[in-house]
Amino acid sequence: DLFLIGQRTRHQAMPLKWEFPGGKIEEGEQPRDALRRELEDELGISAEIGDEVARIRHEYKNGSAVELRFFAVLSYRGEVENRIFREVRWAKRDELPTFDFLEADLPLVRDLADGKII
């Protein structure tokens, strides 16, 4: 299995950290629709979104918290086009822990690398 990951630019919050593409759910939007929209915006692809594979609540040191929902992408149309990241790459499952991921993504990275998910 290959996983698409993106590296934040130097000008973003938490610069140069790696993450899984996606973003915030807008008011009245369903999670799968939000991911489909974000993948179009960030990568120029039209994705078929599958099942939710993980949900992680992460609390930052400043006291704010975020709930992350991760979905499998079953297929997509179009060519992956890097529109917002410093770098985008496909990584193998066992390579994921070698990237400097956002702290909130680390539980998912470990579970993917260990073959517990997907």
Side-chain angles (χ1 to χ4, degrees):
D1 294 327
L2 292 175
F3 300 88
L4 189 65
I5 59 175
Q7 186 181 35
R8 290 177 173 225
T9 68
R10 294 182 189 283
H11 309 293
Q12 288 176 289
M14 295 174 264
L16 304 181
K17 293 283 189 177
W18 289 85
E19 64 182 340
F20 297 97
K24 291 187 173 91
I25 299 172
E26 294 180 355
E27 186 71 33
E29 195 174 37
Q30 293 299 311
R32 281 181 180 80
D33 295 332
L35 180 56
R36 192 175 298 110
R37 175 185 49 74
E38 289 283 347
L39 294 176
E40 171 67 35
D41 293 348
E42 294 179 358
L43 301 169
I45 60 173
S46 177
E48 180 186 353
I49 310 302
D51 291 337
E52 182 175 315
V53 297
R55 190 179 296 198
I56 299 168
R57 180 175 169 78
H58 180 76
E59 295 193 22
Y60 291 99
K61 291 177 180 66
N62 68 7
S64 66
V66 63
E67 181 179 83
L68 303 174
R69 298 175 72 169
F70 297 92
F71 292 85
V73 173
L74 304 176
S75 64
Y76 65 90
R77 290 187 313 280
E79 293 294 318
V80 172
E81 175 187 331
N82 181 4
R83 294 182 174 176
I84 67 158
F85 294 102
R86 180 175 187 263
E87 185 179 347
V88 172
R89 71 166 55 174
W90 290 99
K92 294 179 185 170
R93 180 184 302 275
D94 61 348
E95 293 174 323
L96 290 173
T98 68
F99 293 91
D100 185 17
F101 270 90
L102 293 169
E103 188 179 326
D105 288 352
L106 291 177
L108 177 66
V109 168
R110 284 191 293 271
D111 285 349
L112 287 169
D114 292 344
K116 294 179 182 174
I117 298 177
I118 303 182

